[in-house]
Amino acid sequence: MSNSTATAELDVALEKYRTELTGYCYRMLGSSFEAEDAVQDTLVRAWRSYDKFEGRSSLRSWLYRIATNVCLDMLSAGNKRARPMDLSESTPLARAALAPRPDNTWLEPVPDARVLPTVEDPAEAAVAKESVRLAFMAALQQLPPKQRAVLILREVLAWKANEVAELLGTTVASVNSALQRARATLAEQQQSGAAADVSDPLDEEQQKLLERYVAAFEGYDMTALTALLHEDAIMTMPPFDLWLVGHEDIAGFMTTIGSACEGSRLFPVQVNGLPGFAQYKPDPDTGGWSPWSIQVLEISDGRLTGFHFFLDTKRWFPLFDLPLHLEAKADEAEEGA
């Protein structure tokens, strides 16, 4: 076999693991962009040191060992990604102000396709989706890095304790102890916030709820919109640290500070194992629409419990393979004339 053929085969063998490794690194780091960087670093390291890989473990296990070390190195600075409600109290509308924080503060959204490999087992697919939802990801960020790795490997990826111990260079007893502590921390986190209750695929009631949401948002009908919200619904807008709770403040914000969103168009996206939308708002300069946010929706008991607007569109829209401008159609331009 020629060197070029062997190199091409190795590239194919490594590339096969990109999506699942990106999912693993995303859960570890809380950042879609850092996860992609970590995976690229992992694959480069694996490629360069493949001649030292002696096959004592599977290629997959070896790659996870490298990826874990890459992530632990990246986490050594101690930064924990968060949602606005993890950092401050909610703000009443009367005191609402849009104060941004640096990008590395925030838990980032991610397209499902980049982190959820295709699997045939519906139960396995459901666990994978649940493990990238925003609330679970935020809880993971509260764990020390090694506990985070243990919990993801054991609970999400279903590795055996001895496999995790070998990967981390520790004992089974140490892995079991770390898992127990991680579970306890997660249980406390999950008690403090409502979990998203989203079926996979969406059931008929949830699908109708989303259709009503799109109609209400695009029509900017606050009466219709608030009818879909849980009374304690939460609205967030990273990179701003402001977050709002309840019908009155959310509707009040959208008709005052957020009034430029009137006339928006929504397009469905699959994001963090949850329903979401790419929001384009009217662009008065071009007559078309400009990207404004990636919306991630949380549903529980037939109502929207959270909707999260990620506003850094120059980063998010290319990640979701979305255009950075929508042209006005001829008939729409004539209507506005």
Side-chain angles (χ1 to χ4, degrees), residues 80-272:
K80 293 192 294 189
R81 300 272 175 165
R83 304 168 297 173
M85 56 276 207
D86 300 322
L87 300 178
S88 64
E89 296 296 320
S90 62
T91 307
L93 180 60
R95 298 208 314 270
L98 298 179
R101 295 202 192 190
D103 289 341
N104 65 3
T105 305
W106 303 116
L107 182 61
E108 296 179 346
V110 72
D112 286 0
R114 289 185 181 251
V115 294
L116 298 176
T118 302
V119 295
E120 294 180 4
D121 182 356
E124 187 180 339
V127 168
K129 276 197 167 187
E130 289 168 7
S131 68
V132 293
R133 289 179 182 164
L134 294 176
F136 184 81
M137 287 290 302
L140 278 180
Q141 296 293 300
Q142 301 305 311
L143 300 175
K146 285 194 176 177
Q147 281 187 32
R148 203 179 305 176
V150 167
L151 185 117
I152 295 166
L153 291 165
R154 292 282 285 121
E155 301 278 89
V156 177
L157 302 176
W159 285 40
K160 296 176 181 175
N162 63 310
E163 294 172 330
V164 178
E166 184 179 348
L167 181 145
L168 293 175
T170 187
T171 64
V172 169
S174 176
V175 165
N176 288 337
S177 175
L179 179 60
Q180 190 173 10
R181 294 196 302 275
R183 282 173 173 165
T185 300
L186 246 64
E188 289 175 12
Q189 294 292 321
Q190 290 171 339
Q191 282 175 3
S192 63
D197 177 21
V198 182
S199 61
D200 182 28
L202 295 176
D203 62 31
E204 186 177 357
E205 181 184 350
Q206 291 169 347
Q207 193 61 54
K208 287 181 178 177
L209 175 65
L210 292 181
E211 290 169 3
R212 294 200 302 273
Y213 172 77
V214 170
F217 196 96
E218 290 189 340
Y220 229 60
D221 182 341
M222 291 301 113
T223 301
L225 181 63
T226 55
L228 307 177
L229 301 181
H230 188 276
E231 61 182 11
D232 295 324
I234 288 173
M235 177 180 176
T236 69
M237 292 157 283
F240 302 116
D241 57 12
L242 171 74
W243 61 284
L244 301 164
V245 179
H247 300 176
E248 191 172 331
D249 278 0
I250 290 173
F253 179 89
M254 293 182 72
T255 53
T256 54
I257 299 172
S259 61
C261 289
E262 185 169 357
S264 290
R265 299 178 65 186
L266 301 182
F267 298 88
V269 293
Q270 299 298 313
V271 53
N272 284 85

Side-chain angles (χ1 to χ4, degrees), residues 18-60:
R18 182 180 291 275
T19 302
E20 67 171 285
L21 286 171
T22 305
Y24 175 61
C25 293
Y26 174 68
R27 295 178 185 100
M28 285 290 291
L29 301 169
S31 163
S32 39
F33 293 105
E34 287 184 358
E36 295 201 344
D37 289 346
V39 171
Q40 194 59 33
D41 191 3
T42 296
L43 297 180
V44 168
R45 290 190 194 188
W47 199 91
R48 288 175 176 166
S49 59
Y50 187 71
D51 57 336
K52 299 174 185 174
F53 173 56
E54 298 172 352
R56 286 178 293 187
S57 64
S58 69
L59 178 61
R60 181 173 182 254

